[in-house]
Amino acid sequence: MSAKRKAGGNGNGSNKRRPKKKESDYEDEVSEESEEEAQTSSSQVEVLIPHDNMDPPSKLPDDLLATMDKTPGHMLISGMVTWDLTGKRDRKNVVKVRPNLYSFHRFTDEKYRFAASGCAAAHTILINMDRKALAFGRNPSGQLGLSDTKLCEKPTIIPTLEKFNIVQAAVGRHHSLFLTDTGTVFACGDNKSGQCGVGNTTPVIAVPTLINYRGPPIVRIGCGAEFSVILDIKGNLHTFGLPEYGQLGHNTDAKYFVNANKLSFHFETSPKKVAIDSKKRVYSWGFGGFGRLGHAEPKDEMVPRLIKFFDVHGRGARSVYCGATFSLVVNELGVLFLFGQNKKTGEANMYPKPVQDLSGWNITDIGCANTSIVISADDTLIGWGASPTYGELGIGEFQKSSTVPKEVPKMDNMKIPQVTMGYSHTIILVNTDHDGTKVKYEKMPQYAIDD
């Protein structure tokens, strides 16, 4: 696509690190662990922070809550929708196989404020207009928060959270976080590495549970594949979960809450983390393979390290997004940079390089899958990702993949305020208050689930 010109561990026993996964094993990245593994995981309670005599939390300031709101919209979906097949090589134990969606389809008629998935995930969390959380997708560890581990193919209200107003959600491989309007955080799903932050390593947290934290209200949340991040109102970053490769930034093998430097906001994924501070500087830490940390060397970083490329006047970062083996940064001038590798072969970008094909485009939002990228920009949708893809690009059945940015057919002149991607699916929210968008939305095919 041509460039567009602008107009004007458990904490007990041995501290041995798990062996690193081979980067070629993409299909295994979202596979569940065996039941025997789950049963042998430690469930010893290790409560760190008492919750006795806590005052009821008060609502966050309205002006702060307003900054968390994104433009709502109706949902469109593409990609693999046989959730139990996501990231797997065989169809063992898969009850029903549904065809991949190679173009975007309407999915439910409800309007949503927020959608969240993750590059290692096969499930999605939605927030409706009443600020209630809904979930659908794969559910082997209870990450949908529906009190069971059954697959759920339709967005379903999470009963435990119905009395709360949910303002943000974040999704890991098999766990989920939920942020309320009082700055409290609930978590559910896989907890074998403590990634749910409930103060123990009980293998499965089947319903959303208040995390084991007492401190300033939380204003942002994020998930890697097997770890979690929360940012409090004073700018302190807290991490918990699997410490492999140093992605917790603690410089130790500890799994629970440790303070870092003050940060303004962040996005992260496994097995690395990238964050922006209040001065628009970018820090990264964790697994450094393929140059995904942007330091011009494939070295693991155990503590946050400044990416010098963005520590220059006019190059400060506006937003950061992470895929499985790559990172994207939009600087304050709107230029998109990529570092790492978003394909299985070829050279990796060891340091941030501008994506020339997107020069001059006004980027609204970005979704990152395992190897694919989908971007909302200038009232259209742009995607690219090397084979194999599963329809998450939405560019049609005849050209399923693209190694260069390509405009998605039939998505031009549409207002698309939000994009999120799972391992092999894409969710976008389109603003149907815009007349042209509404007309195109109503012409989209419907994805219907047979009961």
Side-chain angles (χ1 to χ4, degrees), residues 13-77:
S14 171
N15 285 330
K16 291 181 180 178
R17 292 175 64 185
R18 300 196 322 186
K20 293 185 178 181
K21 298 174 185 176
K22 295 180 181 179
E23 288 299 324
S24 59
D25 292 342
Y26 287 97
E27 288 80 4
D28 294 334
E29 288 188 354
V30 292
S31 298
E32 307 100 283
E33 294 187 40
S34 67
E35 290 183 8
E36 291 182 4
E37 250 178 40
Q39 290 171 357
T40 57
S41 296
S42 168
S43 59
Q44 180 177 352
V45 174
E46 188 176 334
V47 177
L48 302 180
I49 303 169
H51 285 273
D52 298 335
N53 302 320
M54 286 185 66
D55 295 327
S58 56
K59 186 179 176 182
L60 293 172
D62 289 337
D63 55 347
L64 177 58
L65 290 172
T67 66
M68 299 181 186
D69 277 339
K70 296 184 176 182
T71 304
H74 284 85
M75 178 168 56
L76 296 175
I77 185 171

Side-chain angles (χ1 to χ4, degrees), residues 324-399:
T325 57
F326 62 93
S327 304
L328 295 167
V329 173
V330 180
N331 75 1
E332 53 192 331
L333 300 178
V335 180
L336 178 67
F337 293 85
L338 184 148
F339 43 104
Q341 187 177 49
N342 68 319
K343 51 188 176 182
K344 294 184 179 181
T345 59
E347 293 184 4
N349 290 346
M350 301 302 294
Y351 57 89
K353 293 182 180 179
V355 181
Q356 299 293 352
D357 285 333
L358 288 171
S359 175
W361 288 81
N362 181 26
I363 294 172
T364 304
D365 200 9
I366 298 178
C368 297
N370 183 40
T371 56
S372 298
I373 301 168
V374 172
I375 296 176
S376 167
D378 285 333
D379 298 345
T380 191
L381 202 63
I382 300 162
W384 77 99
S387 181
T389 58
Y390 305 90
E392 66 266 26
L393 298 179
I395 57 178
E397 192 169 357
F398 297 104
Q399 184 184 354

Side-chain angles (χ1 to χ4, degrees), residues 245-312:
Y245 312 124
Q247 61 253 34
L248 298 187
H250 297 170
N251 202 23
T252 70
D253 288 334
K255 291 187 174 69
Y256 297 102
F257 298 98
V258 176
N259 289 339
N261 292 328
K262 293 186 183 297
L263 295 154
S264 58
F265 74 71
H266 62 282
F267 294 84
E268 70 293 315
T269 188
S270 177
K272 53 129 177 5
K273 193 179 300 100
V274 182
I276 304 173
D277 73 2
S278 55
K279 295 181 180 178
K280 300 182 181 179
R281 296 175 299 187
V282 183
Y283 295 80
S284 63
W285 60 99
F287 187 28
F290 294 133
R292 70 191 81 183
L293 298 183
H295 300 304
E297 57 180 346
K299 174 187 170 186
D300 294 359
E301 299 291 342
M302 305 300 287
V303 295
R305 178 180 172 185
L306 177 68
I307 301 178
K308 294 181 180 179
F309 183 88
F310 297 105
D311 189 23
V312 177

Side-chain angles (χ1 to χ4, degrees), residues 413-426:
N413 297 317
M414 292 189 76
K415 302 286 185 182
I416 307 170
Q418 295 187 52
V419 181
T420 188
M421 299 184 78
Y423 185 91
S424 54
H425 74 282
T426 301

Side-chain angles (χ1 to χ4, degrees), residues 206-219:
V207 296
T209 302
L210 192 66
I211 66 170
N212 194 32
Y213 166 80
R214 185 174 184 177
I218 302 304
V219 295

